[in-house]
Amino acid sequence: APNIDGKLYAFCITKLKTSDDWKSVFNAMWASMDSDEKTKHTKAMDTLHKKLIHKESILLNEILTDAVKKKGIRNIAAPEQDMLAFLVSSGIRGLRREIYDHHDPHDLQAAVRLLTDMIVIWLKR
């Protein structure tokens, strides 16, 4: 995407699509495990989750840093960038959980568009 709006939206939609694509794989694996395997799997998934969150944070911080350099958004301090990356990543996980796991009727793409628009407005103020 050429700008911060598109990059944030693409990040969020891709994260949601990837999560949905893998859900059936993980459910099938989980169903075939005994309790000991489930315990080991949970520990392994927690470790992988932490690595994923770290990599997402790096990617989001790169998107934000690039937008600052291109004067697409205001300059924001590193702690704010880290917090924003955390909020985006956490917010998307929450949307995924509500829409995919709890079958919330809200339109996923509209929700992501509103979330990314709100973030970009805040970044440009």
Side-chain angles (χ1 to χ4, degrees), residues 11 26-27 32 86 91:
F11 172 87
F26 288 131
N27 286 342
S32 69
F86 167 74

Side-chain angles (χ1 to χ4, degrees), residues 7-63:
K7 288 178 183 180
L8 282 177
Y9 181 81
F11 172 87
C12 294
I13 286 293
T14 302
K15 181 170 173 54
L16 288 164
K17 181 171 177 3
T18 303
S19 294
D20 190 44
D21 290 347
W22 278 97
K23 184 179 179 183
S24 59
V25 173
F26 288 131
N27 286 342
M29 288 171 48
W30 188 260
S32 69
M33 293 180 199
D34 63 28
S35 62
D36 287 339
E37 290 171 324
K38 287 180 180 179
T39 300
K40 290 177 186 176
H41 176 77
T42 299
K43 288 179 183 177
M45 291 305 291
D46 286 344
T47 300
L48 288 173
H49 176 77
K50 289 175 184 170
K51 287 180 182 180
L52 177 64
I53 297 303
H54 177 71
K55 297 289 186 179
E56 287 176 356
S57 176
I58 290 170
L59 179 57
L60 286 166
N61 275 294
E62 286 175 0
I63 290 169

Side-chain angles (χ1 to χ4, degrees), residues 49-118:
H49 176 77
K50 289 175 184 170
K51 287 180 182 180
L52 177 64
I53 297 303
H54 177 71
K55 297 289 186 179
E56 287 176 356
S57 176
I58 290 170
L59 179 57
L60 286 166
N61 275 294
E62 286 175 0
I63 290 169
L64 294 168
T65 300
D66 183 59
V68 168
K69 285 179 185 174
K70 292 179 178 176
K71 306 227 185 283
I73 61 172
R74 65 184 168 85
N75 192 20
I76 56 176
E80 272 187 313
Q81 272 191 277
D82 287 335
M83 181 60 78
L84 182 57
F86 167 74
L87 290 171
V88 169
S89 187
S90 299
I92 293 303
R93 282 194 311 278
L95 282 173
R96 181 200 48 79
R97 186 172 35 258
E98 293 303 319
I99 291 174
Y100 291 143
D101 298 348
H102 298 290
H103 310 291
D104 186 277
H106 286 94
D107 179 75
L108 180 64
Q109 290 183 347
V112 172
R113 175 55 61 203
L114 179 57
L115 176 65
T116 56
D117 286 351
M118 289 183 332

